[in-house]
Amino acid sequence: MGFDLAHTAGNLPLQLHEWGPDFAVWCSYKYLNSGPGGPSGAFVHERHANSPDLPRFAGWWGHDETERFKMKKGFRPMPGAEGWQLSNAQIFSFAAHKASLDIFDAAGIENLRAKSLQLTGFLEQVLKEADSGRNLFKIITPSEPAQRGCQLSLLTDNRGKALFDFLAEKGVIADWREPNVIRFAPVPLYNSFEDVWQVGQLVAGFPTT
Ligand SMILES: *Cc1c(COP(=O)(O)O)cnc(C)c1O
């Protein structure tokens, strides 16, 4: 089993080794802030670490580094996920990625998750209050905090795009998904409770007539 962690890396604490998937992959330009085109990541479980015979899309940078430049015939992979590397890395995008990961290390993913649970719970509360009696949207993300990351998805009706545009004009950067979903992702590293409160004020001020 392998997991696509595109919306998980940097959003939730992960114990992949303990949970035991065979592998996992993720991009780093979402919650990990590396920017578009930033490096992707891969996890390969330890039980596969030393299986050079596993079929793979092999690239020269995955070859055993002690003899990589000898250019001998045959592929001898590095142990672990490094044996799946294809080519050498882009230094500028890795530098940006490293700067971001250092901030995650300093903050601590458990601390970020603790704030994230509060921040998204607060968003849920202010959105429901702002929408009371109006039925502009329905929150379709699970209401159980353990079943979600930081994001809330709102199923809207034919007023949804106007609401999204109204918020965007006021500086709220959310995400529109056709045909009628607005996604909010308050991020604990740099969004504040005041940001979330302001979203509620703006939604409450959206004219529906
Ligand atoms: C963003 C995303 C990816 C990563 O796509 P890229 O090819 O790295 O741009 C993969 N899966 C899901 C579900 C995503 O949201």
Side-chain angles (χ1 to χ4, degrees), residues 84-203:
W84 272 264
Q85 298 176 114
L86 293 181
S87 186
N88 67 103
Q90 301 173 48
I91 295 303
F92 287 117
S93 56
F94 263 79
H97 189 40
K98 166 92 168 51
S100 177
L101 292 179
D102 287 347
I103 295 169
F104 275 86
D105 274 347
I109 191 73
E110 297 290 346
N111 295 330
L112 291 170
R113 174 63 173 161
K115 180 181 168 190
S116 177
L117 286 166
Q118 295 186 339
L119 202 58
T120 296
F122 185 48
L123 177 65
E124 188 175 25
Q125 185 189 329
V126 301
L127 285 174
K128 282 182 175 165
E129 276 171 25
D131 194 38
S132 79
R134 295 206 296 172
N135 293 317
L136 273 166
F137 51 77
K138 180 173 170 264
I139 299 175
I140 53 173
T141 299
S143 57
E144 169 57 50
Q147 290 181 23
R148 66 190 187 197
C150 75
Q151 179 184 301
L152 294 182
S153 295
L154 278 54
L155 182 68
T156 65
D157 57 20
N158 58 7
R159 299 167 294 180
K161 189 61 167 56
L163 171 61
F164 177 81
D165 292 342
F166 174 85
L167 293 172
E169 204 175 285
K170 307 242 176 323
V172 178
I173 301 167
D175 177 54
W176 175 254
R177 289 283 137 153
E178 294 293 346
N180 54 3
V181 169
I182 300 174
R183 307 195 304 183
F184 289 106
V187 168
L189 205 51
Y190 50 82
N191 282 129
S192 65
F193 291 90
E194 188 186 345
D195 291 337
V196 168
W197 180 79
Q198 299 244 11
V199 169
Q201 296 293 297
L202 291 168
V203 170

Side-chain angles (χ1 to χ4, degrees), residues 10-28:
N11 188 2
L12 294 172
L14 294 166
Q15 281 96 39
L16 293 178
H17 191 264
E18 278 167 49
W19 296 341
D22 297 298
F23 70 96
V25 290
W26 58 93
C27 56
S28 64

Side-chain angles (χ1 to χ4, degrees), residues 25-100:
V25 290
W26 58 93
C27 56
S28 64
Y29 61 88
K30 291 170 183 160
Y31 295 99
L32 289 175
N33 305 323
S34 70
S40 57
F43 165 85
V44 176
H45 198 275
E46 191 178 35
R47 65 180 175 274
H48 303 305
N50 294 304
S51 311
D53 299 333
L54 271 184
R56 70 187 73 199
F57 185 39
W60 79 280
W61 201 251
H63 193 100
D64 177 5
E65 66 184 342
T66 62
E67 55 172 46
R68 195 179 274 156
F69 281 95
K70 293 189 177 150
M71 307 292 179
K72 289 196 239 157
K73 289 224 179 301
F75 181 67
R76 278 198 31 193
M78 301 275 290
E82 285 174 277
W84 272 264
Q85 298 176 114
L86 293 181
S87 186
N88 67 103
Q90 301 173 48
I91 295 303
F92 287 117
S93 56
F94 263 79
H97 189 40
K98 166 92 168 51
S100 177

